[in-house]
Amino acid sequence: MTEPKPLVSVIVLTWNGIRFLSGCLGALADQTFRGFEVVLVDNGSDDGSARYVQEEFPWVRVVDLPKNLGFAEGNNRGLAAAQGELIVTLNNDTLAEPDFLAELVVAAERCPDAGMIAALLVNFYDPERIDAAGIAPGADGIGYCLGHGAPVGRPWDEPRDVFGPSAGAALYRREMIDEIGFFDADFFAYGEDFDLAWRGQLGGWRCMTAPRAVVRHVHSATSGTGSPFTIYHIHRNKWYVLLKDWPTRLLVKHLPRILLADLAAFLVALLKGRGGAAGRARWAVLAALPRLLAKRREQAGKKFPIPLERLFARGVLLATLKRKLGMR
């Protein structure tokens, strides 16, 4: 007798993250919602992650890739193996609360026009502080994690419309993915969830939060905060999103702030000894410009389900720059 397909497929991507897998997969094993499968994508690890999971968690389907294809394409490979109608992406450096999947499913069923559901990521070491309650673009062109550093509670404890979810713990409806595609492999890592949120919004799909779908998250555990790899991809992919997704009217309206913020980010990178990575990122954008403009043409004429600027993150640029510079 053929087993019914699971409603939910959880895609966990790992790259040399064997130290996190026992906690991450063990928390999934303890979920109160049971109609799910787990697809673990091993992104070319050399620490024995794939074998460890096959031996210790035989109920997990393992997709063993020969090399690191990045967060975006790694998750795409996981999607190809997934059977569920609801796709959950989950970082390997997380611990999901027992009702995590149940709350995501309830939120998806409550809002059938929402193609994206944002879980609540909290700081792994200080779970009373928010890591991300969704994501949103700022008028300065920078992508922000909503609520980052704020205490858990109001105003983040009620479901709300947001621009998109952080892919570290997110639910995506397969119906939406079939229409607009999943992650853009050109991003490799960082910003691919912003790009997907833009495409979802442009395709008429809302994003709602599920504040009781809680996950503890170790921020930037794989690539490292402030590493040249991180600086390069964040600086490059910010412009990928701007050139690929932003409607012309908004791009022109906010261009002075976007350029000022970009200059500030470049100066911060120089002060922190990461000017080379920041400079390479901008040359990479110029090299990719024809490809980005071709993708931009695919977005032409699409409209958002609700007024876009209602979902922008506001008033966070100065605070972010102060934090990066170590200022109070």
Side-chain angles (χ1 to χ4, degrees), residues 164-179:
S166 166
L171 181 148
Y172 298 99
R173 202 178 295 274
R174 187 182 285 271
E175 183 181 353
M176 184 193 79
I177 295 171
D178 289 344
E179 287 184 9

Side-chain angles (χ1 to χ4, degrees), residues 183-229:
F183 295 119
D184 183 340
D186 284 349
F187 281 71
F188 195 82
Y190 295 104
E192 65 288 301
D193 49 1
F194 276 103
D195 169 63
L196 182 53
W198 273 97
R199 287 186 282 121
Q201 293 281 349
L202 283 165
W205 294 94
R206 295 165 60 202
C207 178
M208 293 294 296
T209 63
R212 286 177 286 279
V214 179
V215 169
R216 293 173 61 179
H217 179 223
V218 182
H219 197 80
S220 296
T222 298
S223 56
T225 302
S227 68
F229 174 92

Side-chain angles (χ1 to χ4, degrees), residues 24-327:
C24 176
L25 298 177
L28 288 174
D30 292 336
Q31 291 296 296
T32 58
F33 177 84
R34 302 310 302 169
F36 74 98
E37 65 172 355
V38 176
V39 178
L40 181 125
V41 180
D42 184 35
N43 224 349
S45 299
D46 57 15
D47 65 352
S49 290
R51 179 177 295 178
Y52 169 77
V53 173
Q54 289 166 341
E55 292 175 353
E56 299 296 325
F57 300 92
W59 49 273
V60 172
R61 182 179 305 152
V62 175
V63 177
D64 194 1
L65 302 179
K67 65 178 182 178
N68 187 353
L69 300 180
F71 183 90
E73 182 59 18
N75 273 288
N76 290 343
R77 299 297 179 93
L79 177 68
Q83 302 180 66
E85 292 303 313
L86 302 175
I87 305 299
V88 172
T89 57
L90 185 66
N91 279 7
N92 65 344
D93 55 350
T94 59
L95 283 179
E97 295 295 326
D99 290 335
F100 166 67
L101 289 179
E103 292 291 344
L104 286 178
V105 170
V106 167
E109 291 176 343
R110 186 186 297 126
C111 303
D113 60 340
M116 304 167 280
I117 305 293
L120 180 66
L121 287 94
V122 299
N123 187 287
F124 188 90
Y125 303 105
D126 184 5
E128 294 304 312
R129 293 282 171 182
I130 293 172
D131 191 46
I135 57 175
D140 47 29
I142 297 172
Y144 292 97
C145 291
L146 297 172
H148 182 73
V152 172
R154 298 183 64 185
W156 306 105
D157 57 352
E158 292 295 330
R160 58 165 63 191
D161 274 295
V162 294
F163 189 83
S166 166
L171 181 148
Y172 298 99
R173 202 178 295 274
R174 187 182 285 271
E175 183 181 353
M176 184 193 79
I177 295 171
D178 289 344
E179 287 184 9
I180 68 169
F182 205 28
F183 295 119
D184 183 340
D186 284 349
F187 281 71
F188 195 82
Y190 295 104
E192 65 288 301
D193 49 1
F194 276 103
D195 169 63
L196 182 53
W198 273 97
R199 287 186 282 121
Q201 293 281 349
L202 283 165
W205 294 94
R206 295 165 60 202
C207 178
M208 293 294 296
T209 63
R212 286 177 286 279
V214 179
V215 169
R216 293 173 61 179
H217 179 223
V218 182
H219 197 80
S220 296
T222 298
S223 56
T225 302
S227 68
F229 174 92
T230 301
I231 295 297
Y232 171 82
H233 285 91
I234 287 177
H235 284 224
R236 184 195 69 172
N237 292 352
K238 178 193 74 175
W239 281 103
Y240 274 19
V241 171
L242 283 164
L243 294 171
K244 178 184 175 184
D245 298 315
W246 276 56
T248 302
R249 176 183 61 82
L250 290 178
L251 197 55
V252 171
K253 176 181 177 181
H254 296 296
L255 189 59
R257 273 182 284 187
I258 290 169
L259 293 176
L260 180 61
D262 191 63
L263 176 61
F266 185 73
L267 291 176
V268 169
L270 282 176
L271 288 172
K272 294 200 166 187
R274 298 290 187 255
R280 290 196 308 275
R282 285 153 180 80
W283 280 114
V285 172
L286 292 175
L289 192 57
R291 188 168 68 253
L292 292 170
L293 293 179
K295 292 180 179 181
R296 180 182 181 82
R297 286 191 287 272
E298 298 175 7
Q299 311 283 40
K302 295 181 179 178
K303 296 182 178 180
F304 294 90
I306 57 180
L308 171 63
E309 289 193 84
R310 261 184 51 194
L311 303 178
F312 269 32
R314 301 182 184 278
V316 288
L317 173 59
L318 183 59
T320 300
L321 288 176
K322 284 183 176 180
R323 187 169 66 249
K324 287 185 176 181
L325 289 170
M327 299 166 58

